Amino acid sequence: MCRWIAYRGETTLFENYVTEPVHSLITQSLRARESAGPTNGDGFGLGWYGVHPEPGLYRETRPAWSDENLRYLCRHLQSHMFFAHVRAATGTPVTRQNCHPFACGRWMFMHNGFVGSWSRLRRRIEAMIPDPLYPSRSGNTDSEAIFLAIMGAGIDEDPIAATRTVMTRLRALLNENGLRERMRFTAALANGQDLYAFRFAENDSANSLYYRQAGDRLIVASEPYDGEPGWIEVPANHVLLSKSAHEIELFPFMPNEPELKSEHPGAPRVVARA
């Protein structure tokens, strides 16, 4: 499984969160503690927001621990909102186009997980991507296909509802004819202002996800990068929403029933407000 970190808050250097902590993302690429496999060496990527509405991206196929560019970049790049990801491939090639994060317009996305039998489902999942968005598909991962499907499901109007719509369609595909295939969806989504983090699984246990708020800074990560107090686990089947680093809300994400009963099942719970 992949490892990732999302940051929002005061403008800061990437190295403070990506490369310098005792259990940094580079360390996790070699020795993850809360993953099915400890090694995440199938490439890495950085995504960030700066002076332009659309995010900047840097992605590479080399393992994070062996690429000196990553340390140099993290020492100099700074942003108020950024993603960092180390990849463990789940069946698709190790290419730059398949490394996370992915970007389309002002939106950025990264994912830890997999979707059933991708070879069986790929054609139907890609069919969820509207024609105007399909040229944005540069790789062949399930993650990028899901992202573009979410884009086409109304992400600008309601990102949570758009993601839930796509997950509902995937749930139907996974469970058709009694197959009960597995899916893990622990993902981050951002538009330069708002940050969303999802922890969900179908017919499986959800991958780990934590957050920590420190003053004007919010960090969401696959696993804690240090032993300091303040890390809180995101409950399974929840989405974390942060419209500012001062306030965090947790929503129940997917209903237990196959069909959606309401647009936002469950009331939001404000878990932090500065």
Side-chain angles (χ1 to χ4, degrees), residues 164-228:
R164 189 180 290 121
T165 294
V166 172
M167 290 298 109
T168 300
R169 293 173 181 170
L170 292 178
R171 170 183 271 177
L173 292 177
L174 293 163
N175 291 304
E176 65 183 359
N177 301 319
L179 286 175
R180 293 187 58 81
E181 292 197 66
R182 299 182 300 145
M183 174 176 67
R184 294 183 185 179
F185 182 77
T186 300
L189 188 65
N191 60 9
Q193 296 178 330
D194 305 325
L195 173 64
Y196 303 83
F198 302 85
R199 186 184 181 207
F200 172 67
E202 179 73 4
N203 303 324
D204 205 346
S205 299
N207 290 328
S208 58
L209 189 64
Y210 296 83
Y211 70 92
R212 184 169 75 185
Q213 186 187 36
D216 293 333
R217 302 181 177 191
L218 170 67
I219 306 100
V220 187
S222 296
E223 59 186 73
Y225 54 67
D226 60 26
E228 297 298 318

Short mmCIF file of all heavy atoms in Angstrom, two decimals, residues 164-228:
data_model
loop_
_atom_site.label_atom_id
_atom_site.label_comp_id
_atom_site.label_asym_id
_atom_site.label_seq_id
_atom_site.Cartn_x
_atom_site.Cartn_y
_atom_site.Cartn_z
N ARG A 164 -18.92 10.31 -3.36
CA ARG A 164 -19.86 9.28 -2.91
C ARG A 164 -20.59 8.65 -4.10
O ARG A 164 -20.85 7.44 -4.12
CB ARG A 164 -20.85 9.88 -1.92
CG ARG A 164 -21.74 8.85 -1.22
CD ARG A 164 -22.70 9.50 -0.24
NE ARG A 164 -21.99 10.02 0.91
CZ ARG A 164 -22.02 11.32 1.28
NH1 ARG A 164 -22.67 12.20 0.56
NH2 ARG A 164 -21.36 11.70 2.36
N THR A 165 -20.94 9.44 -5.09
CA THR A 165 -21.60 8.92 -6.28
C THR A 165 -20.72 7.88 -6.97
O THR A 165 -21.18 6.79 -7.36
CB THR A 165 -21.94 10.06 -7.25
OG1 THR A 165 -22.91 10.92 -6.64
CG2 THR A 165 -22.50 9.53 -8.56
N VAL A 166 -19.44 8.21 -7.13
CA VAL A 166 -18.52 7.28 -7.79
C VAL A 166 -18.31 6.03 -6.95
O VAL A 166 -18.29 4.91 -7.47
CB VAL A 166 -17.19 7.99 -8.10
CG1 VAL A 166 -16.14 6.99 -8.62
CG2 VAL A 166 -17.40 9.10 -9.13
N MET A 167 -18.17 6.19 -5.64
CA MET A 167 -18.00 5.02 -4.78
C MET A 167 -19.23 4.12 -4.81
O MET A 167 -19.12 2.88 -4.74
CB MET A 167 -17.72 5.47 -3.33
CG MET A 167 -16.37 6.12 -3.11
SD MET A 167 -14.96 5.02 -3.47
CE MET A 167 -14.36 5.81 -4.98
N THR A 168 -20.40 4.71 -4.91
CA THR A 168 -21.63 3.91 -5.00
C THR A 168 -21.65 3.09 -6.28
O THR A 168 -22.03 1.91 -6.28
CB THR A 168 -22.86 4.83 -4.94
OG1 THR A 168 -22.85 5.55 -3.70
CG2 THR A 168 -24.15 4.01 -5.01
N ARG A 169 -21.22 3.68 -7.38
CA ARG A 169 -21.16 2.94 -8.64
C ARG A 169 -20.11 1.83 -8.57
O ARG A 169 -20.33 0.71 -9.05
CB ARG A 169 -20.82 3.90 -9.78
CG ARG A 169 -21.92 4.92 -10.07
CD ARG A 169 -21.46 5.95 -11.08
NE ARG A 169 -22.47 6.95 -11.35
CZ ARG A 169 -22.26 8.07 -12.04
NH1 ARG A 169 -21.05 8.31 -12.56
NH2 ARG A 169 -23.24 8.93 -12.23
N LEU A 170 -18.98 2.12 -7.94
CA LEU A 170 -17.95 1.09 -7.79
C LEU A 170 -18.43 -0.04 -6.89
O LEU A 170 -18.17 -1.22 -7.15
CB LEU A 170 -16.67 1.71 -7.22
CG LEU A 170 -15.92 2.68 -8.13
CD1 LEU A 170 -14.71 3.24 -7.40
CD2 LEU A 170 -15.50 2.01 -9.42
N ARG A 171 -19.15 0.32 -5.84
CA ARG A 171 -19.68 -0.70 -4.93
C ARG A 171 -20.58 -1.67 -5.69
O ARG A 171 -20.52 -2.88 -5.48
CB ARG A 171 -20.45 0.00 -3.81
CG ARG A 171 -21.26 -0.92 -2.92
CD ARG A 171 -22.04 -0.14 -1.90
NE ARG A 171 -21.27 0.08 -0.69
CZ ARG A 171 -21.70 0.79 0.35
NH1 ARG A 171 -22.89 1.37 0.31
NH2 ARG A 171 -20.96 0.92 1.43
N ALA A 172 -21.40 -1.15 -6.58
CA ALA A 172 -22.28 -2.01 -7.36
C ALA A 172 -21.48 -2.95 -8.26
O ALA A 172 -21.82 -4.14 -8.39
CB ALA A 172 -23.24 -1.15 -8.19
N LEU A 173 -20.42 -2.43 -8.87
CA LEU A 173 -19.58 -3.28 -9.74
C LEU A 173 -18.87 -4.37 -8.94
O LEU A 173 -18.76 -5.51 -9.38
CB LEU A 173 -18.55 -2.42 -10.47
CG LEU A 173 -19.08 -1.43 -11.51
CD1 LEU A 173 -17.93 -0.60 -12.08
CD2 LEU A 173 -19.80 -2.17 -12.63
N LEU A 174 -18.39 -4.00 -7.76
CA LEU A 174 -17.64 -4.96 -6.95
C LEU A 174 -18.51 -6.10 -6.45
O LEU A 174 -18.03 -7.22 -6.25
CB LEU A 174 -17.01 -4.24 -5.76
CG LEU A 174 -15.90 -3.24 -6.08
CD1 LEU A 174 -15.65 -2.33 -4.89
CD2 LEU A 174 -14.61 -3.96 -6.46
N ASN A 175 -19.78 -5.81 -6.23
CA ASN A 175 -20.67 -6.79 -5.62
C ASN A 175 -21.61 -7.47 -6.62
O ASN A 175 -22.49 -8.23 -6.21
CB ASN A 175 -21.50 -6.13 -4.51
CG ASN A 175 -20.63 -5.74 -3.32
OD1 ASN A 175 -19.94 -6.58 -2.74
ND2 ASN A 175 -20.63 -4.46 -2.97
N GLU A 176 -21.43 -7.19 -7.90
CA GLU A 176 -22.33 -7.78 -8.88
C GLU A 176 -22.15 -9.30 -8.91
O GLU A 176 -21.04 -9.82 -8.71
CB GLU A 176 -22.09 -7.17 -10.26
CG GLU A 176 -20.74 -7.47 -10.85
CD GLU A 176 -20.53 -6.78 -12.19
OE1 GLU A 176 -21.46 -6.09 -12.66
OE2 GLU A 176 -19.45 -6.95 -12.77
N ASN A 177 -23.26 -9.99 -9.15
CA ASN A 177 -23.26 -11.46 -9.26
C ASN A 177 -22.67 -12.14 -8.04
O ASN A 177 -22.11 -13.25 -8.14
CB ASN A 177 -22.50 -11.90 -10.52
CG ASN A 177 -23.08 -11.32 -11.80
OD1 ASN A 177 -24.30 -11.26 -11.95
ND2 ASN A 177 -22.22 -10.89 -12.69
N GLY A 178 -22.76 -11.47 -6.88
CA GLY A 178 -22.28 -12.06 -5.64
C GLY A 178 -20.78 -12.16 -5.51
O GLY A 178 -20.28 -12.90 -4.66
N LEU A 179 -20.02 -11.41 -6.32
CA LEU A 179 -18.56 -11.54 -6.31
C LEU A 179 -17.93 -11.02 -5.02
O LEU A 179 -16.97 -11.57 -4.52
CB LEU A 179 -17.96 -10.79 -7.51
CG LEU A 179 -18.14 -11.45 -8.86
CD1 LEU A 179 -17.61 -10.55 -9.96
CD2 LEU A 179 -17.42 -12.79 -8.89
N ARG A 180 -18.43 -9.88 -4.52
CA ARG A 180 -17.89 -9.27 -3.31
C ARG A 180 -16.38 -9.06 -3.39
O ARG A 180 -15.60 -9.49 -2.54
CB ARG A 180 -18.24 -10.10 -2.06
CG ARG A 180 -19.72 -10.12 -1.75
CD ARG A 180 -20.01 -10.80 -0.43
NE ARG A 180 -19.32 -10.17 0.68
CZ ARG A 180 -19.73 -9.07 1.30
NH1 ARG A 180 -20.83 -8.45 0.90
NH2 ARG A 180 -19.05 -8.59 2.32
N GLU A 181 -15.96 -8.39 -4.45
CA GLU A 181 -14.55 -8.04 -4.59
C GLU A 181 -14.20 -6.90 -3.63
O GLU A 181 -15.06 -6.13 -3.19
CB GLU A 181 -14.25 -7.63 -6.03
CG GLU A 181 -14.34 -8.78 -7.00
CD GLU A 181 -13.65 -8.45 -8.31
OE1 GLU A 181 -12.41 -8.29 -8.30
OE2 GLU A 181 -14.34 -8.36 -9.33
N ARG A 182 -12.92 -6.77 -3.35
CA ARG A 182 -12.47 -5.80 -2.35
C ARG A 182 -12.09 -4.46 -2.98
O ARG A 182 -11.67 -4.40 -4.13
CB ARG A 182 -11.27 -6.35 -1.58
CG ARG A 182 -11.56 -7.63 -0.80
CD ARG A 182 -10.34 -8.07 -0.02
NE ARG A 182 -9.21 -8.33 -0.90
CZ ARG A 182 -7.93 -8.10 -0.58
NH1 ARG A 182 -7.63 -7.56 0.60
NH2 ARG A 182 -6.96 -8.38 -1.43
N MET A 183 -12.22 -3.41 -2.19
CA MET A 183 -11.75 -2.09 -2.58
C MET A 183 -11.28 -1.34 -1.33
O MET A 183 -11.90 -1.44 -0.28
CB MET A 183 -12.85 -1.27 -3.26
CG MET A 183 -12.44 0.18 -3.56
SD MET A 183 -13.70 1.11 -4.48
CE MET A 183 -15.01 1.20 -3.25
N ARG A 184 -10.18 -0.65 -1.47
CA ARG A 184 -9.72 0.26 -0.41
C ARG A 184 -9.54 1.64 -1.01
O ARG A 184 -8.91 1.79 -2.06
CB ARG A 184 -8.40 -0.23 0.19
CG ARG A 184 -8.49 -1.54 0.93
CD ARG A 184 -7.16 -1.92 1.56
NE ARG A 184 -7.20 -3.24 2.17
CZ ARG A 184 -6.14 -3.80 2.77
NH1 ARG A 184 -4.99 -3.16 2.81
NH2 ARG A 184 -6.24 -5.00 3.30
N PHE A 185 -10.10 2.62 -0.35
CA PHE A 185 -10.08 4.00 -0.85
C PHE A 185 -9.73 4.93 0.31
O PHE A 185 -10.60 5.36 1.07
CB PHE A 185 -11.44 4.36 -1.46
CG PHE A 185 -11.51 5.74 -2.06
CD1 PHE A 185 -10.94 6.00 -3.29
CD2 PHE A 185 -12.15 6.77 -1.39
CE1 PHE A 185 -11.01 7.27 -3.86
CE2 PHE A 185 -12.22 8.04 -1.94
CZ PHE A 185 -11.66 8.29 -3.19
N THR A 186 -8.45 5.20 0.47
CA THR A 186 -7.98 6.20 1.42
C THR A 186 -7.29 7.26 0.58
O THR A 186 -6.22 7.01 0.02
CB THR A 186 -7.02 5.60 2.46
OG1 THR A 186 -7.71 4.57 3.18
CG2 THR A 186 -6.55 6.65 3.45
N ALA A 187 -7.92 8.43 0.46
CA ALA A 187 -7.54 9.38 -0.58
C ALA A 187 -7.63 10.81 -0.07
O ALA A 187 -8.35 11.11 0.89
CB ALA A 187 -8.43 9.20 -1.81
N ALA A 188 -6.91 11.69 -0.75
CA ALA A 188 -6.95 13.13 -0.46
C ALA A 188 -7.32 13.87 -1.73
O ALA A 188 -6.90 13.51 -2.84
CB ALA A 188 -5.61 13.62 0.07
N LEU A 189 -8.06 14.95 -1.55
CA LEU A 189 -8.56 15.76 -2.66
C LEU A 189 -8.46 17.21 -2.22
O LEU A 189 -8.79 17.55 -1.08
CB LEU A 189 -10.01 15.37 -2.93
CG LEU A 189 -10.75 15.91 -4.14
CD1 LEU A 189 -10.12 15.42 -5.43
CD2 LEU A 189 -12.22 15.49 -4.07
N ALA A 190 -8.00 18.08 -3.12
CA ALA A 190 -7.85 19.50 -2.76
C ALA A 190 -8.04 20.37 -3.99
O ALA A 190 -7.84 19.92 -5.13
CB ALA A 190 -6.47 19.76 -2.14
N ASN A 191 -8.40 21.63 -3.74
CA ASN A 191 -8.56 22.60 -4.83
C ASN A 191 -7.78 23.89 -4.59
O ASN A 191 -8.03 24.90 -5.23
CB ASN A 191 -10.04 22.92 -5.04
CG ASN A 191 -10.70 23.52 -3.80
OD1 ASN A 191 -10.02 23.85 -2.82
ND2 ASN A 191 -12.01 23.64 -3.82
N GLY A 192 -6.84 23.84 -3.66
CA GLY A 192 -6.06 25.02 -3.32
C GLY A 192 -6.61 25.79 -2.14
O GLY A 192 -5.92 26.62 -1.54
N GLN A 193 -7.88 25.54 -1.79
CA GLN A 193 -8.51 26.19 -0.65
C GLN A 193 -9.02 25.17 0.36
O GLN A 193 -8.77 25.28 1.55
CB GLN A 193 -9.68 27.07 -1.12
CG GLN A 193 -9.25 28.23 -2.01
CD GLN A 193 -10.43 29.04 -2.50
OE1 GLN A 193 -11.53 28.52 -2.68
NE2 GLN A 193 -10.20 30.31 -2.73
N ASP A 194 -9.76 24.17 -0.13
CA ASP A 194 -10.36 23.16 0.73
C ASP A 194 -9.61 21.84 0.60
O ASP A 194 -9.13 21.49 -0.48
CB ASP A 194 -11.83 22.94 0.36
CG ASP A 194 -12.63 24.23 0.37
OD1 ASP A 194 -12.33 25.09 1.21
OD2 ASP A 194 -13.53 24.37 -0.48
N LEU A 195 -9.55 21.11 1.70
CA LEU A 195 -8.88 19.81 1.73
C LEU A 195 -9.86 18.75 2.20
O LEU A 195 -10.55 18.94 3.21
CB LEU A 195 -7.67 19.87 2.68
CG LEU A 195 -6.94 18.55 2.96
CD1 LEU A 195 -6.32 18.00 1.69
CD2 LEU A 195 -5.87 18.74 4.04
N TYR A 196 -9.92 17.65 1.47
CA TYR A 196 -10.78 16.52 1.80
C TYR A 196 -9.92 15.27 1.92
O TYR A 196 -9.01 15.05 1.12
CB TYR A 196 -11.83 16.28 0.70
CG TYR A 196 -12.70 17.47 0.41
CD1 TYR A 196 -12.27 18.48 -0.44
CD2 TYR A 196 -13.98 17.59 0.97
CE1 TYR A 196 -13.07 19.59 -0.73
CE2 TYR A 196 -14.78 18.68 0.69
CZ TYR A 196 -14.32 19.68 -0.16
OH TYR A 196 -15.11 20.77 -0.43
N ALA A 197 -10.22 14.44 2.92
CA ALA A 197 -9.51 13.18 3.08
C ALA A 197 -10.54 12.09 3.39
O ALA A 197 -11.38 12.25 4.28
CB ALA A 197 -8.47 13.27 4.19
N PHE A 198 -10.50 11.00 2.64
CA PHE A 198 -11.48 9.93 2.72
C PHE A 198 -10.82 8.65 3.24
O PHE A 198 -9.71 8.31 2.84
CB PHE A 198 -12.07 9.64 1.34
CG PHE A 198 -12.73 10.82 0.69
CD1 PHE A 198 -11.98 11.74 -0.03
CD2 PHE A 198 -14.10 11.02 0.80
CE1 PHE A 198 -12.58 12.83 -0.65
CE2 PHE A 198 -14.71 12.11 0.19
CZ PHE A 198 -13.95 13.01 -0.53
N ARG A 199 -11.54 7.94 4.10
CA ARG A 199 -11.08 6.62 4.56
C ARG A 199 -12.25 5.66 4.45
O ARG A 199 -13.20 5.70 5.24
CB ARG A 199 -10.57 6.68 6.00
CG ARG A 199 -9.95 5.36 6.44
CD ARG A 199 -9.52 5.37 7.90
NE ARG A 199 -8.92 4.09 8.25
CZ ARG A 199 -8.91 3.57 9.48
NH1 ARG A 199 -9.46 4.24 10.49
NH2 ARG A 199 -8.37 2.40 9.70
N PHE A 200 -12.18 4.80 3.44
CA PHE A 200 -13.31 3.93 3.12
C PHE A 200 -12.79 2.61 2.54
O PHE A 200 -11.73 2.57 1.91
CB PHE A 200 -14.24 4.62 2.11
CG PHE A 200 -15.33 3.74 1.59
CD1 PHE A 200 -16.35 3.29 2.40
CD2 PHE A 200 -15.34 3.37 0.25
CE1 PHE A 200 -17.36 2.47 1.91
CE2 PHE A 200 -16.35 2.55 -0.26
CZ PHE A 200 -17.36 2.11 0.58
N ALA A 201 -13.53 1.54 2.76
CA ALA A 201 -13.23 0.25 2.14
C ALA A 201 -14.54 -0.49 1.90
O ALA A 201 -15.53 -0.29 2.63
CB ALA A 201 -12.30 -0.57 3.01
N GLU A 202 -14.54 -1.32 0.89
CA GLU A 202 -15.68 -2.19 0.61
C GLU A 202 -15.20 -3.64 0.64
O GLU A 202 -14.21 -3.98 -0.03
CB GLU A 202 -16.26 -1.86 -0.77
CG GLU A 202 -17.44 -2.72 -1.18
CD GLU A 202 -18.73 -2.39 -0.44
OE1 GLU A 202 -18.75 -1.43 0.35
OE2 GLU A 202 -19.73 -3.10 -0.66
N ASN A 203 -15.86 -4.45 1.44
CA ASN A 203 -15.51 -5.87 1.59
C ASN A 203 -14.07 -6.05 2.10
O ASN A 203 -13.41 -7.05 1.80
CB ASN A 203 -15.68 -6.63 0.27
CG ASN A 203 -17.09 -6.52 -0.28
OD1 ASN A 203 -18.06 -6.51 0.48
ND2 ASN A 203 -17.21 -6.41 -1.60
N ASP A 204 -13.58 -5.08 2.87
CA ASP A 204 -12.20 -5.11 3.34
C ASP A 204 -12.05 -4.12 4.49
O ASP A 204 -12.98 -3.37 4.81
CB ASP A 204 -11.24 -4.74 2.20
CG ASP A 204 -9.84 -5.31 2.39
OD1 ASP A 204 -9.54 -5.77 3.50
OD2 ASP A 204 -9.07 -5.31 1.42
N SER A 205 -10.87 -4.11 5.11
CA SER A 205 -10.56 -3.13 6.15
C SER A 205 -9.92 -1.91 5.51
O SER A 205 -9.08 -2.03 4.61
CB SER A 205 -9.60 -3.74 7.18
OG SER A 205 -10.19 -4.85 7.82
N ALA A 206 -10.30 -0.73 5.98
CA ALA A 206 -9.78 0.51 5.42
C ALA A 206 -8.33 0.72 5.81
O ALA A 206 -7.92 0.39 6.93
CB ALA A 206 -10.62 1.69 5.89
N ASN A 207 -7.54 1.25 4.90
CA ASN A 207 -6.16 1.61 5.20
C ASN A 207 -6.10 2.72 6.24
O ASN A 207 -7.02 3.52 6.37
CB ASN A 207 -5.44 2.05 3.92
CG ASN A 207 -5.21 0.90 2.96
OD1 ASN A 207 -5.01 -0.23 3.38
ND2 ASN A 207 -5.23 1.20 1.67
N SER A 208 -4.99 2.79 6.95
CA SER A 208 -4.84 3.74 8.05
C SER A 208 -4.84 5.18 7.57
O SER A 208 -4.41 5.49 6.45
CB SER A 208 -3.55 3.45 8.82
OG SER A 208 -2.42 3.53 7.95
N LEU A 209 -5.30 6.07 8.44
CA LEU A 209 -5.31 7.51 8.15
C LEU A 209 -5.38 8.28 9.46
O LEU A 209 -6.19 7.94 10.34
CB LEU A 209 -6.48 7.89 7.25
CG LEU A 209 -6.46 9.32 6.70
CD1 LEU A 209 -5.27 9.54 5.77
CD2 LEU A 209 -7.76 9.65 5.97
N TYR A 210 -4.54 9.31 9.58
CA TYR A 210 -4.45 10.12 10.80
C TYR A 210 -4.41 11.60 10.43
O TYR A 210 -4.08 11.97 9.30
CB TYR A 210 -3.17 9.79 11.58
CG TYR A 210 -3.10 8.38 12.10
CD1 TYR A 210 -2.67 7.34 11.27
CD2 TYR A 210 -3.44 8.07 13.41
CE1 TYR A 210 -2.60 6.04 11.74
CE2 TYR A 210 -3.36 6.77 13.89
CZ TYR A 210 -2.94 5.77 13.05
OH TYR A 210 -2.86 4.48 13.52
N TYR A 211 -4.72 12.43 11.42
CA TYR A 211 -4.53 13.88 11.25
C TYR A 211 -4.03 14.48 12.55
O TYR A 211 -4.18 13.91 13.63
CB TYR A 211 -5.83 14.56 10.79
CG TYR A 211 -6.91 14.63 11.84
CD1 TYR A 211 -7.04 15.74 12.68
CD2 TYR A 211 -7.83 13.58 12.00
CE1 TYR A 211 -8.05 15.80 13.64
CE2 TYR A 211 -8.83 13.64 12.95
CZ TYR A 211 -8.94 14.76 13.76
OH TYR A 211 -9.92 14.81 14.72
N ARG A 212 -3.41 15.63 12.41
CA ARG A 212 -2.95 16.39 13.57
C ARG A 212 -3.06 17.86 13.26
O ARG A 212 -2.65 18.31 12.18
CB ARG A 212 -1.51 16.03 13.95
CG ARG A 212 -1.05 16.75 15.23
CD ARG A 212 0.27 16.19 15.74
NE ARG A 212 1.39 16.62 14.95
CZ ARG A 212 2.64 16.19 15.13
NH1 ARG A 212 2.89 15.25 16.04
NH2 ARG A 212 3.62 16.63 14.38
N GLN A 213 -3.60 18.61 14.19
CA GLN A 213 -3.70 20.06 14.05
C GLN A 213 -2.74 20.70 15.04
O GLN A 213 -2.71 20.34 16.22
CB GLN A 213 -5.11 20.55 14.31
CG GLN A 213 -5.31 22.04 14.04
CD GLN A 213 -6.68 22.51 14.48
OE1 GLN A 213 -7.21 22.05 15.48
NE2 GLN A 213 -7.24 23.45 13.74
N ALA A 214 -1.93 21.62 14.53
CA ALA A 214 -0.98 22.34 15.39
C ALA A 214 -1.05 23.81 15.03
O ALA A 214 -0.45 24.25 14.05
CB ALA A 214 0.43 21.81 15.19
N GLY A 215 -1.82 24.56 15.80
CA GLY A 215 -1.98 25.98 15.51
C GLY A 215 -2.67 26.18 14.17
O GLY A 215 -3.78 25.69 13.95
N ASP A 216 -1.99 26.87 13.25
CA ASP A 216 -2.55 27.13 11.93
C ASP A 216 -2.19 26.05 10.93
O ASP A 216 -2.32 26.26 9.72
CB ASP A 216 -2.05 28.48 11.41
CG ASP A 216 -2.59 29.65 12.22
OD1 ASP A 216 -3.69 29.49 12.79
OD2 ASP A 216 -1.93 30.69 12.30
N ARG A 217 -1.77 24.89 11.39
CA ARG A 217 -1.30 23.86 10.48
C ARG A 217 -2.07 22.56 10.71
O ARG A 217 -2.24 22.11 11.83
CB ARG A 217 0.20 23.63 10.68
CG ARG A 217 1.01 24.90 10.45
CD ARG A 217 2.48 24.70 10.61
NE ARG A 217 3.20 25.94 10.32
CZ ARG A 217 4.51 26.03 10.17
NH1 ARG A 217 5.27 24.95 10.30
NH2 ARG A 217 5.08 27.19 9.90
N LEU A 218 -2.51 21.98 9.60
CA LEU A 218 -3.19 20.70 9.62
C LEU A 218 -2.41 19.71 8.76
O LEU A 218 -2.07 20.02 7.61
CB LEU A 218 -4.62 20.84 9.07
CG LEU A 218 -5.36 19.53 8.81
CD1 LEU A 218 -5.65 18.79 10.11
CD2 LEU A 218 -6.66 19.79 8.05
N ILE A 219 -2.13 18.55 9.30
CA ILE A 219 -1.43 17.49 8.58
C ILE A 219 -2.33 16.26 8.58
O ILE A 219 -2.85 15.87 9.63
CB ILE A 219 -0.08 17.15 9.23
CG1 ILE A 219 0.79 18.39 9.41
CG2 ILE A 219 0.65 16.11 8.41
CD1 ILE A 219 0.76 18.97 10.82
N VAL A 220 -2.52 15.67 7.42
CA VAL A 220 -3.25 14.41 7.28
C VAL A 220 -2.26 13.42 6.67
O VAL A 220 -1.60 13.74 5.68
CB VAL A 220 -4.49 14.55 6.39
CG1 VAL A 220 -5.30 13.26 6.40
CG2 VAL A 220 -5.36 15.73 6.85
N ALA A 221 -2.15 12.24 7.25
CA ALA A 221 -1.10 11.31 6.81
C ALA A 221 -1.55 9.86 6.95
O ALA A 221 -2.36 9.52 7.81
CB ALA A 221 0.17 11.54 7.63
N SER A 222 -0.98 9.02 6.11
CA SER A 222 -1.26 7.59 6.18
C SER A 222 -0.86 7.01 7.53
O SER A 222 -1.52 6.10 8.04
CB SER A 222 -0.51 6.84 5.07
OG SER A 222 -0.96 7.22 3.80
N GLU A 223 0.23 7.51 8.09
CA GLU A 223 0.65 7.11 9.42
C GLU A 223 1.46 8.25 10.03
O GLU A 223 2.05 9.05 9.30
CB GLU A 223 1.43 5.81 9.39
CG GLU A 223 2.68 5.81 8.55
CD GLU A 223 3.32 4.42 8.48
OE1 GLU A 223 2.79 3.53 7.79
OE2 GLU A 223 4.36 4.24 9.13
N PRO A 224 1.51 8.36 11.35
CA PRO A 224 2.27 9.44 11.98
C PRO A 224 3.73 9.42 11.56
O PRO A 224 4.34 8.35 11.44
CB PRO A 224 2.11 9.15 13.47
CG PRO A 224 0.82 8.40 13.57
CD PRO A 224 0.77 7.55 12.34
N TYR A 225 4.30 10.61 11.35
CA TYR A 225 5.71 10.69 10.96
C TYR A 225 6.62 10.98 12.15
O TYR A 225 7.83 11.14 11.98
CB TYR A 225 5.92 11.75 9.87
CG TYR A 225 5.40 13.13 10.20
CD1 TYR A 225 5.96 13.91 11.21
CD2 TYR A 225 4.34 13.66 9.48
CE1 TYR A 225 5.49 15.16 11.50
CE2 TYR A 225 3.87 14.93 9.76
CZ TYR A 225 4.44 15.68 10.78
OH TYR A 225 3.97 16.93 11.07
N ASP A 226 6.05 11.05 13.36
CA ASP A 226 6.86 11.21 14.56
C ASP A 226 6.09 10.63 15.74
O ASP A 226 4.96 10.17 15.59
CB ASP A 226 7.24 12.68 14.81
CG ASP A 226 6.04 13.60 14.99
OD1 ASP A 226 4.96 13.12 15.41
OD2 ASP A 226 6.16 14.80 14.71
N GLY A 227 6.72 10.64 16.91
CA GLY A 227 6.10 10.11 18.11
C GLY A 227 5.47 11.16 18.98
O GLY A 227 5.11 10.87 20.13
N GLU A 228 5.32 12.37 18.46
CA GLU A 228 4.74 13.45 19.25
C GLU A 228 3.25 13.22 19.45
O GLU A 228 2.58 12.57 18.64
CB GLU A 228 4.98 14.78 18.55
CG GLU A 228 6.44 15.16 18.39
CD GLU A 228 7.14 15.32 19.73
OE1 GLU A 228 6.54 15.91 20.65
OE2 GLU A 228 8.27 14.83 19.86
#
